[in-house]
Amino acid sequence: MAVAAALPLLLALLAPALAGAFPGCDYPPPLWCSSPEIAAACQAESHCANLSRPAAAPVELSLFYESLCPACRNFLVQELFTTWLLLPVGILNITLVPYGNAQERNDSGKWQFECQHGPEECLGNMIETCLMHEAKDFNSYFPVIFCLESGSSVTKNLEACLQVYAPQLDGSRIAACVQGDTGAALMHRNALLTEALDPPHQYVPWVVVNGKHTDELQEQAQAALLRLICRLYQGEKPEACGGSGRAPKEPRGCRR
């Protein structure tokens, strides 16, 4: 955007010197990129092509996980968060769905949940879900989730992680969400999203890339996520894409 904004000014400053070079151009420099015809008349196609080229779509990645699954925590901390830090904005969009292998039931109009790693995992899932709901902004809540998942306790470190990574967020509002109907409704939504997976998930972490899950994508994501995203991104490769990746490894997780 900065380059696009600066070019008309630069061309205006250079206009006297360029007038002789572009004798067929009767348009002021700020208009040279306003249409292909004007760009051709002013011999400015190369400049205008760089400005008008549409940005490539970001790679879309959805992570279906549960808060206490060791393989989930490893993938989120070692692969996903690191890749997110290294890539510029606009390369990778991430959706987090904490639910995993949990089960839900409707008990007298209230949703109840049972999790693979017990009640503490259900609480961790709920904390992270309510954190996302309250923060709204991915850049605000993802570092907090990284802090929770990389620390000693997913369920006991929320206030400490907020203080370090998102002091603007109100921990009491997150707690109210966890303890109230909002948290249960949000977790029910996560359950529906997880159960709607096609193919159905067999373990977690379960990675969906650009709307698809295959064994090959899963293996590549768990082995070397940065390398996978760099390969899939169709735009100009960022500097972080040089020489990324490690040797493939067999994906393992928390099976249902």
Side-chain angles (χ1 to χ4, degrees), residues 209-253:
V209 181
N210 289 336
K212 298 188 299 183
H213 173 92
T214 65
D215 290 343
E216 181 180 9
L217 283 172
Q218 179 80 28
E219 179 180 339
Q220 291 175 357
Q222 288 193 251
L225 181 62
L226 179 60
R227 183 167 61 193
L228 173 63
I229 301 305
C230 288
R231 177 174 63 82
L232 294 177
Y233 181 63
Q234 298 300 304
E236 182 178 353
K237 306 298 183 183
E239 183 178 353
C241 287
S244 64
R246 297 188 296 275
K249 59 186 177 184
E250 184 71 16
R252 287 291 182 266

Side-chain angles (χ1 to χ4, degrees), residues 38-214:
I38 294 176
C42 298
Q43 301 181 27
E45 295 99 327
S46 61
H47 296 290
C48 299
N50 290 335
L51 294 177
S52 61
R53 184 182 298 124
V59 178
E60 301 285 344
L61 184 147
S62 297
L63 173 63
F64 293 79
Y65 72 106
E66 51 197 26
S67 63
L68 297 189
C69 167
C72 297
R73 299 178 73 173
N74 181 73
F75 177 74
L76 190 150
V77 171
Q78 299 294 332
E79 292 289 342
L80 188 58
F81 188 76
T82 302
T83 298
W84 176 73
L85 283 179
L86 290 173
L87 291 175
V89 174
I91 305 293
L92 175 63
N93 284 346
I94 299 171
T95 299
L96 301 176
V97 185
Y99 185 79
N101 298 327
Q103 301 291 326
E104 68 172 354
R105 71 177 189 277
N106 193 308
D107 188 357
S108 301
K110 292 185 178 296
W111 290 108
Q112 305 291 333
F113 305 94
E114 294 183 3
C115 296
Q116 183 172 17
H117 299 93
E120 186 176 6
E121 180 167 79
C122 283
L123 177 58
N125 292 345
M126 189 80 78
I127 289 172
E128 294 182 6
T129 296
C130 285
L131 167 64
M132 290 186 273
H133 175 71
E134 290 296 328
K136 302 294 192 296
D137 177 31
F138 186 86
N139 294 331
S140 295
Y141 65 70
F142 192 32
V144 180
I145 291 177
F146 161 79
C147 179
L148 294 173
E149 293 291 343
S150 62
S152 58
S153 174
V154 172
T155 59
K156 297 177 181 177
N157 290 342
L158 178 61
E159 287 298 332
C161 289
L162 287 176
Q163 288 177 14
V164 174
Y165 291 101
Q168 76 278 9
L169 297 180
D170 187 347
S172 64
R173 290 180 59 88
I174 298 170
C177 170
V178 169
Q179 297 164 9
D181 294 338
T182 299
L186 292 170
M187 192 57 58
H188 173 58
R189 180 204 62 184
N190 287 355
L192 295 178
L193 290 172
T194 303
E195 291 304 316
L197 284 168
D198 184 16
H201 83 285
Q202 302 171 17
Y203 50 83
V204 286
W206 189 261
V207 179
V208 177
V209 181
N210 289 336
K212 298 188 299 183
H213 173 92
T214 65

